[in-house]
Amino acid sequence: MDRAFIDDCIKSINDYRRVHQVAPLAHNAVVSTVAQRWADHMTRTGSLGHNPSASHNGQPLGENCAFKWYSDKRDITGTAALPM
């Protein structure tokens, strides 16, 4: 995964959390790996849905699944990915 994209996502998420007076999140490489594997699965299968087995340290993970596409094939930024 692109570190700049991850940092941009975390910053954007924490900007929203700050507005709502909620503690900031930090990146977790294990959770990112679970998420990336599921994103790869959805890409391969052409599907969009929640991972029924997503967990970390025995705790289920919540997800926000979204699809965003640009016709010009540009990469999406973390900031652009969030306000869905």
Side-chain angles (χ1 to χ4, degrees), residues 29-46:
V30 173
V31 173
S32 282
T33 298
V34 170
Q36 186 61 57
R37 286 181 181 153
W38 187 249
D40 294 343
H41 164 79
M42 289 189 295
T43 299
R44 276 191 316 278
T45 62

Side-chain angles (χ1 to χ4, degrees), residues 9-44:
C9 283
I10 295 295
K11 180 192 175 304
S12 296
I13 289 167
N14 285 331
D15 288 346
Y16 281 111
R17 292 176 68 86
R18 192 175 310 104
V19 168
H20 298 284
Q21 300 176 344
V22 180
L25 297 178
H27 178 250
N28 181 301
V30 173
V31 173
S32 282
T33 298
V34 170
Q36 186 61 57
R37 286 181 181 153
W38 187 249
D40 294 343
H41 164 79
M42 289 189 295
T43 299
R44 276 191 316 278

Side-chain angles (χ1 to χ4, degrees), residues 1-82:
M1 270 183 267
D2 180 322
R3 186 67 211 189
F5 179 78
I6 291 168
D7 291 343
D8 194 28
C9 283
I10 295 295
K11 180 192 175 304
S12 296
I13 289 167
N14 285 331
D15 288 346
Y16 281 111
R17 292 176 68 86
R18 192 175 310 104
V19 168
H20 298 284
Q21 300 176 344
V22 180
L25 297 178
H27 178 250
N28 181 301
V30 173
V31 173
S32 282
T33 298
V34 170
Q36 186 61 57
R37 286 181 181 153
W38 187 249
D40 294 343
H41 164 79
M42 289 189 295
T43 299
R44 276 191 316 278
T45 62
S47 63
L48 180 66
H50 294 286
N51 181 345
S53 61
S55 67
H56 177 59
N57 291 337
Q59 296 294 312
L61 296 173
E63 306 168 298
N64 293 315
C65 297
F67 174 80
K68 196 157 198 172
W69 177 74
Y70 292 122
S71 61
D72 64 3
K73 308 284 187 200
R74 63 186 159 137
D75 288 338
I76 190 168
T77 65
T79 302
L82 292 171

